[in-house]
Each structure stands twice: as C-alpha cells, then as structure tokens.
Amino acid sequence: DALADAQPSATPGVRLGPPAAQEDPPPKPTPLVASPDGLVFAGFGCGRMISMSQPDARSCARVARARGPQVQGVAWSSSSKLCLGCNEADLQQRQGSAEYDVYSVAALAGAEGH
C-alpha cells in the first residue's frame, strides 16, 4: 500500500524532526581586571563565608590568600563586614547584591606595602 510506504518509520533510535541543537561551549574564565583599589565587580556577591568580620576588603583578601590560590576573589560587605571567598566558578556565577562588592585577591595582595 502506497500510503503505508509514505509514513515515517518508527524505528527505535531514529530521530524524526530537526537536528538537535549543539550546546555552546562553556564560557572561558574571565580574567579579573581590577580597579586601582582592587574592585572587580561593584554590586555583586559570590562565594562562601570565610570570615564573620573584616574591617576592609584588604583584610578580607588576606584571609582569602591564607586559604590558597583557588580563592581568586573576595566579596566583602562594607555594612556587615562579612567576607566571602570566591573561586573561579563562584566568580562566573556571581549574583547582583547591593550589600557586596567583589575584589581581586591578587590585586589587593599586589597593593600591599604601597
């Protein structure tokens, strides 16, 4: 029968319809480009708490530096003084926050002694 011959087959493993869209490759890590005071992202937060109270972003960066090279940024709150450590994945997934600003640990470390 001609009509039966014209129907698409229901063979398992054969996909009917448009080809599947290819996923975009994951974004490349964004290098942390900091302002002279070490600020990378104003109005953003990321990471996990590493200190309940630090007087400034530089002190927060010192705590982060002691945790190892995987902590590349710190989110510090000038109002609550909380200090969060951010690794590369945390920095890429940062969230907007009026309470926090993100600073580069390396930039603040480089500014030590100036």
Side-chain angles (χ1 to χ4, degrees), residues 3-114:
L3 184 57
D5 294 338
Q7 295 297 318
S9 87
T11 308
V14 175
R15 179 177 159 78
L16 300 177
Q22 292 185 4
E23 290 186 26
D24 292 333
K28 293 191 192 280
T30 304
L32 295 183
V33 178
S35 68
D37 64 353
L39 183 65
V40 181
F41 302 111
F44 283 88
C46 61
R48 291 159 191 80
M49 187 180 319
I50 58 175
S51 176
M52 294 280 293
S53 181
Q54 290 299 316
D56 54 36
R58 187 172 318 282
S59 298
C60 183
R62 277 189 214 109
V63 172
R65 203 169 41 249
R67 298 217 169 209
Q70 72 278 7
V71 182
Q72 299 173 341
V74 291
W76 179 72
S77 170
S78 61
S79 61
S80 69
K81 308 300 183 200
L82 289 175
C83 175
L84 310 177
C86 309
N87 63 25
E88 188 174 304
D90 296 330
L91 289 163
Q92 290 178 5
Q93 298 169 10
R94 65 193 177 273
Q95 302 282 320
S97 171
E99 290 289 314
Y100 289 91
D101 293 321
V102 177
Y103 296 84
S104 164
V105 171
L108 290 177
E112 296 263 325
H114 283 67

